[in-house]
Amino acid sequence: MIIQKTENSRLSTFDPNNFSFGNTFSDHMIICEYEDGKWGDVKLVPYGPLLFTPAMMGVNYGQACFEGMKAYKDNDGQVFLFRPEKNFERINKSAKRLAMPEVTEEMFLDGLKALVDTDRNWIPQGEGMSLYIRPLIFATEEALKARVANKYMFAIVATPAKSYYADPVSVKISDHYSRAASGGVGSAKAAGNYAASFYPTQLAMEEGYDQIIWTDDATHEYFEESGTMNVFVRINDTIYTPPTSEKILDGVTRDSFIQLANKRGLDIRVEPIAVQAVLDAHKNGTLKEVWGVGTAVVTTVFKALGHKGEKLQLPSLPDDESYAALLKSDLVNLQNNISEDPFGWRVLVKKDVLETA
Amino acid sequence: MIIQKTENSRLSTFDPNNFSFGNTFSDHMIICEYEDGKWGDVKLVPYGPLLFTPAMMGVNYGQACFEGMKAYKDNDGQVFLFRPEKNFERINKSAKRLAMPEVTEEMFLDGLKALVDTDRNWIPQGEGMSLYIRPLIFATEEALKARVANKYMFAIVATPAKSYYADPVSVKISDHYSRAASGGVGSAKAAGNYAASFYPTQLAMEEGYDQIIWTDDATHEYFEESGTMNVFVRINDTIYTPPTSEKILDGVTRDSFIQLANKRGLDIRVEPIAVQAVLDAHKNGTLKEVWGVGTAVVTTVFKALGHKGEKLQLPSLPDDESYAALLKSDLVNLQNNISEDPFGWRVLVKKDVLETA
């Protein structure tokens, strides 16, 4: 790895009690360029702009995919990643579906650890605090031809993140717009999937909703995802979440929730969720909770579901009766080294990784 | 418009008889930045790199759309654009679907004319020659949050293009992969649509095909597009092309072919094309031609259709019996100012647009 540390740290300008998520960047970034059929050296460099023309294929033809993950600092100042091998596997699954070169485990994990270790002072401490980390791969070749690019960049950038808390939101069950096609790229964390979701979400907001529950594009009869999260539904004391597929992202938080629910002995079923079954459960009073899960906020609880012009209010459960709150607490405690880790999910980021390598 | 012409023209390095399409860029480009809810000044500047970080939202969340169009030089050296107002309308349709700011007609058309006029010496002359022009809009804000961006760039870059001729190709009728979801972004020229098509196309190539005929994702029973082109089928003497929809791009070449066919009194029908109807026509000998149309090559004729493991050979018609060749010739002659233009499609690019404005 080539190391070029900044001589102008911006750390003194960073107030962990007052920063905005997503556009405060840590001092460094990882970059690695792909050319002539192979990846070059991984470099740790100061975060900042690089030179790209508007003919860059990444913005012209959308060959771009990413991951979202976090590093957590415990009470003793130790820093942990959470299941980073899952993100490594998934970025390569996304890359493959978009005909992009896969990254090596060494590039991905060593790059990640080097960045997190070097910028460990950027990780805010305390409940809900973390460093949000964004690995991505995008086509950098300059060419105006709709074909697979020959040049790419793998990069990792990071931004401090705070507070898991998200207000309960109202979500609209989509009856027209869709996130993914059968035989499409829904299971990839493809850049284009996000842009495609913004306009339908804006329309839902104009109707008084915060997010969309995406349904299958052919019939709109089955839940797929919610916003940019995987979706869970609790009917009586049974939790349902749809099976992953080529249309549904294999979320790390989703998988963790399933394993944590199983560990608690909860009845959790990975099964298709029919819109009608949810509506029926609402009608007969057995619909207890609906929520989304993802890396950024962990859990967003839904307070209302919109369906074809009707807004169905959901129960507001106290935390000690909510499975969403229970599983979120289990996950957050594990991530922050407050509880045991029987799964081996936490990965300690050693100090001075670069010096001792 | 702010004009900053290059002091180091690369024109002397450009050999119109020997260049590669798509990565030879003309001397200048148009750029215009969007911030605080409005577009800034349109600038004509030397083509070259700009500063973007890997946190640029365009490559993270895929808010990016483009147009493909051409400028033609006639025998007298006059330069023409072809139906640029169609591309203007479509880029805004794409922008709207991706929740991006629309561009003004002035920005788009004046920028286009200024670039083409300034770089008119980059337009190769002769049959099949042109300047391929790429207007695009992409999100430039640096932020790691899956939301609508606040900063964008509108840009126009250009590359000399040659030869309309494309060998007849074999295409696979897709029975699994899809280009567009119902309620998705198929009708937008969204960057992500292209990346999504590359891997399925690679698989088709491994089976001995060159492109894919995309079918509807729910049943794969109807033609949608072919590769990055609109598709036409001729059965006996009737031409069919699918109606545009939210899944099918409203192609300028497609629309021009329909109008040119009507002008010739050909029987052309804008109707859904069932895969089974094409297979039946092949079986009973009435399937005469299948072809794709688009700005880049105008027409690509298909010599074989693959369907569920079978490769069906198509007739090879001489040019004087081929509707594809006839309509292509009509279009190319009109674009190159060889024939009359009863439609008003040609737009002359005046000399020294900038000086006389």
Side-chain angles (χ1 to χ4, degrees):
Chain A
M1 194 177 305
I2 292 173
I3 311 291
Q4 188 200 335
K5 289 198 190 177
T6 184
E7 291 175 3
N8 297 295
S9 170
R10 289 173 279 101
L11 189 62
S12 63
T13 66
F14 169 59
D15 178 356
N17 298 309
N18 183 24
F19 64 94
S20 68
F21 169 73
N23 49 19
T24 301
F25 297 96
S26 71
D27 273 334
H28 298 90
M29 64 183 180
I30 296 288
I31 55 171
C32 182
E33 290 179 88
Y34 182 94
E35 197 170 350
D36 299 328
K38 59 182 193 296
W39 290 106
D41 288 321
V42 176
K43 298 176 192 171
L44 177 98
V45 298
Y47 173 85
L50 303 167
L51 293 167
F52 300 112
T53 79
M56 174 172 60
M57 294 177 83
V59 291
N60 281 270
Y61 303 115
Q63 271 192 299
C65 64
F66 70 88
E67 281 300 318
M69 50 198 307
K70 284 178 173 171
Y72 307 87
K73 191 177 272 181
D74 75 5
N75 288 333
D76 300 326
Q78 294 187 102
V79 173
F80 297 92
L81 292 169
F82 182 72
R83 309 185 75 184
E85 73 288 353
K86 294 285 282 182
N87 299 92
F88 164 67
E89 285 161 18
R90 193 171 60 185
I91 201 170
N92 278 346
K93 198 174 150 193
S94 298
K96 187 175 177 189
R97 181 59 185 84
L98 299 172
M100 299 165 76
E102 298 181 26
V103 295
T104 66
E105 190 163 359
E106 197 185 353
M107 280 168 63
F108 189 90
L109 293 179
D110 290 358
L112 206 53
K113 288 174 187 173
L115 178 64
V116 171
D117 178 41
T118 305
D119 286 350
R120 63 170 59 231
N121 291 335
W122 285 86
I123 310 176
Q125 210 161 8
E127 202 188 329
M129 298 296 209
S130 64
L131 185 71
Y132 179 87
I133 307 164
R134 166 64 49 86
L136 71 156
I137 311 173
F138 58 102
T140 54
E141 186 183 353
E142 291 172 56
L144 301 181
K145 230 174 177 178
R147 59 157 170 80
V148 172
N150 293 313
K151 295 181 189 175
Y152 297 87
M153 176 170 281
F154 168 65
I156 313 179
V157 294
T159 178
K162 59 189 164 188
S163 180
Y164 297 119
Y165 183 73
D167 278 323
V169 299
S170 299
V171 292
K172 178 181 174 168
I173 300 172
S174 189
D175 53 16
H176 174 75
Y177 288 103
S178 308
R179 183 185 163 276
S182 294
V185 297
S187 67
K189 230 168 150 63
N193 289 342
Y194 295 81
S197 74
F198 294 159
Y199 178 69
T201 303
Q202 281 183 335
L203 294 182
M205 285 175 174
E206 287 168 16
E207 289 180 62
Y209 298 97
D210 303 282
Q211 285 180 16
I212 288 178
I213 291 189
W214 302 103
T215 50
D216 66 293
D217 78 310
T219 69
H220 298 291
E221 287 176 8
Y222 291 91
F223 279 19
E224 291 188 341
E225 295 189 13
S226 173
T228 58
M229 302 183 291
N230 289 115
V231 64
F232 287 74
V233 171
R234 173 181 171 192
I235 296 175
N236 284 320
D237 286 344
T238 302
I239 306 169
Y240 299 88
T241 193
T244 55
S245 71
E246 65 181 359
K247 302 175 75 180
I248 297 181
L249 197 78
D250 185 5
V252 180
T253 312
R254 172 189 176 278
D255 182 74
S256 304
F257 262 55
I258 293 169
Q259 293 198 48
L260 288 166
N262 280 323
K263 182 164 174 287
R264 282 218 173 248
L266 299 177
D267 182 14
I268 184 159
R269 301 184 191 179
V270 178
E271 288 177 13
I273 299 174
V275 173
Q276 193 56 51
V278 174
L279 300 178
D280 290 347
H282 180 266
K283 204 165 190 178
N284 67 30
T286 56
L287 183 63
K288 296 285 166 55
E289 294 178 84
V290 186
W291 70 91
V293 306
T295 294
V297 288
V298 186
T299 293
T300 300
V301 171
F302 304 150
K303 64 182 178 188
L305 300 180
H307 186 253
K308 297 192 174 170
E310 254 195 295
K311 198 165 191 171
L312 312 173
Q313 299 301 321
L314 291 172
S316 173
L317 298 185
D319 271 5
D320 61 356
E321 290 175 25
S322 161
Y323 286 171
L326 180 70
L327 295 171
K328 176 178 179 172
S329 163
D330 283 354
L331 180 60
V332 167
N333 287 339
L334 193 159
Q335 287 170 327
N336 287 275
N337 197 23
I338 290 166
S339 64
E340 290 298 303
D341 176 15
F343 305 99
W345 286 344
R346 277 192 305 259
V347 174
L348 180 72
V349 178
K350 290 185 190 144
K351 273 195 183 173
D352 304 323
V353 166
L354 296 171
E355 282 73 7
T356 58
Chain B
M1 194 176 304
I2 293 174
I3 312 291
Q4 187 200 333
K5 289 199 190 174
T6 184
E7 292 175 2
N8 296 296
S9 171
R10 288 173 280 102
L11 189 60
S12 63
T13 67
F14 169 58
D15 177 357
N17 298 309
N18 183 24
F19 65 93
S20 67
F21 169 73
N23 49 20
T24 301
F25 297 96
S26 70
D27 273 334
H28 297 89
M29 63 182 181
I30 295 288
I31 55 171
C32 182
E33 290 180 85
Y34 181 94
E35 198 170 350
D36 299 330
K38 59 181 192 298
W39 290 106
D41 289 320
V42 176
K43 298 176 191 170
L44 177 99
V45 298
Y47 173 84
L50 304 167
L51 294 167
F52 299 113
T53 79
M56 174 172 58
M57 294 176 83
V59 291
N60 281 271
Y61 304 114
Q63 271 192 300
C65 63
F66 70 90
E67 280 300 317
M69 49 198 308
K70 284 178 173 172
Y72 307 86
K73 191 177 273 180
D74 75 4
N75 289 332
D76 300 327
Q78 293 188 101
V79 173
F80 298 92
L81 294 168
F82 181 72
R83 307 185 76 182
E85 74 288 352
K86 293 284 283 181
N87 300 93
F88 164 67
E89 285 161 17
R90 193 173 59 186
I91 202 169
N92 278 345
K93 199 175 148 193
S94 298
K96 186 175 178 188
R97 181 59 184 84
L98 298 172
M100 299 165 76
E102 298 181 26
V103 295
T104 67
E105 191 163 0
E106 197 186 356
M107 279 169 64
F108 189 89
L109 293 178
D110 290 359
L112 206 51
K113 289 174 186 171
L115 177 64
V116 171
D117 178 40
T118 306
D119 286 349
R120 63 169 59 231
N121 292 334
W122 285 86
I123 310 176
Q125 212 161 6
E127 202 189 327
M129 298 295 209
S130 63
L131 184 71
Y132 179 86
I133 307 164
R134 168 63 50 86
L136 72 156
I137 311 174
F138 58 101
T140 55
E141 185 182 354
E142 290 171 56
L144 300 181
K145 231 175 177 179
R147 59 155 169 80
V148 172
N150 293 313
K151 295 181 188 175
Y152 297 87
M153 176 169 282
F154 167 64
I156 313 179
V157 294
T159 178
K162 60 188 164 187
S163 180
Y164 298 121
Y165 183 74
D167 277 323
V169 299
S170 300
V171 292
K172 177 181 175 169
I173 300 173
S174 189
D175 53 16
H176 175 74
Y177 289 104
S178 308
R179 183 186 163 276
S182 293
V185 297
S187 67
K189 231 171 151 61
N193 289 343
Y194 295 81
S197 75
F198 294 159
Y199 177 70
T201 303
Q202 281 183 336
L203 294 181
M205 285 175 174
E206 286 168 17
E207 290 181 62
Y209 298 97
D210 302 284
Q211 284 180 18
I212 288 177
I213 291 189
W214 302 103
T215 49
D216 66 292
D217 78 310
T219 69
H220 299 291
E221 287 175 9
Y222 291 91
F223 279 20
E224 290 188 342
E225 295 189 14
S226 174
T228 58
M229 302 183 290
N230 290 114
V231 64
F232 287 74
V233 172
R234 173 182 171 191
I235 296 175
N236 283 319
D237 286 344
T238 303
I239 306 169
Y240 299 87
T241 192
T244 56
S245 71
E246 65 181 359
K247 302 175 74 180
I248 298 179
L249 196 78
D250 185 4
V252 179
T253 311
R254 171 188 177 278
D255 182 74
S256 304
F257 262 56
I258 294 169
Q259 294 197 48
L260 289 165
N262 279 324
K263 181 163 173 290
R264 282 218 172 247
L266 298 178
D267 182 15
I268 184 159
R269 301 185 191 177
V270 178
E271 287 178 13
I273 299 173
V275 173
Q276 194 54 53
V278 175
L279 300 177
D280 289 347
H282 180 265
K283 206 165 191 175
N284 66 32
T286 57
L287 182 63
K288 296 285 167 55
E289 294 178 83
V290 186
W291 71 90
V293 306
T295 294
V297 288
V298 187
T299 293
T300 300
V301 171
F302 304 150
K303 64 181 178 188
L305 300 180
H307 186 253
K308 298 195 172 165
E310 254 195 294
K311 198 165 189 170
L312 313 173
Q313 299 300 322
L314 292 171
S316 173
L317 299 185
D319 273 7
D320 62 354
E321 290 175 25
S322 161
Y323 287 172
L326 180 69
L327 294 171
K328 176 179 181 173
S329 165
D330 283 355
L331 180 60
V332 167
N333 287 338
L334 193 157
Q335 287 170 328
N336 287 275
N337 197 23
I338 291 167
S339 64
E340 291 298 302
D341 176 16
F343 305 98
W345 285 344
R346 277 192 304 261
V347 174
L348 180 72
V349 179
K350 289 187 189 142
K351 275 195 181 171
D352 303 324
V353 166
L354 296 171
E355 282 72 7
T356 58

